[in-house]
């Protein structure tokens, strides 16, 4: 509710402090309301939840030890709404979901 226009948010990703991806929610195939409607029909969404889908141009390799930072902000503004900081690690074996 604090976001004036969810169809116009900047999404970005940095690897080791260097921008690798930069796009907007306006670039997405499905609009934000449609995504929220679909996901909330499957699971309960709570305040602060993020729905991450697809990726803008700029996909590339990462290596163990790389620092990954993703963010959402209002375009043409310094106002960052949320960031996510991760450190890449080596994975032993195939992907496994433990849910």
């Amino acid at each position: 509710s604090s976001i004036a226009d969810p169809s116009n948010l900047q999404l970005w990703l940095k690897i080791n402090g260097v921008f690798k991806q930069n796009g907007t929610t306006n670039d997405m195939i499905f609009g934000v309301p449609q995504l929220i409607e679909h996901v909330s029909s499957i699971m309960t969404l709570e305040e602060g939840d993020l729905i991450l889908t697809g990726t803008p141009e700029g996909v590339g390799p990462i290596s163990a030890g790389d620092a990954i930072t993703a963010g959402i902000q209002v375009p043409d503004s310094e106002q960052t709404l949320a960031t996510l900081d991760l450190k890449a690690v080596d994975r032993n074996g195939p992907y496994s979901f433990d849910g």
Side-chain angles (χ1 to χ4, degrees), residues 3-59:
I3 298 171
D5 185 3
S7 66
N8 189 32
L9 293 173
Q10 182 179 5
L11 308 169
W12 53 264
L13 181 112
K14 295 179 184 179
I15 306 289
N16 299 322
V18 177
F19 276 103
K20 296 292 185 174
Q21 296 181 308
N22 199 353
T24 69
T25 51
N26 193 39
D27 298 330
M28 298 184 335
I29 295 170
F30 300 105
V32 172
Q34 187 176 2
L35 290 170
I36 291 171
E37 179 181 359
H38 176 71
V39 173
S40 64
S41 74
I42 298 167
M43 61 190 289
T44 301
L45 293 172
E46 298 181 9
E47 185 175 338
D49 284 349
L50 296 175
I51 301 171
L52 304 174
T53 66
T55 184
E57 182 180 354
V59 174

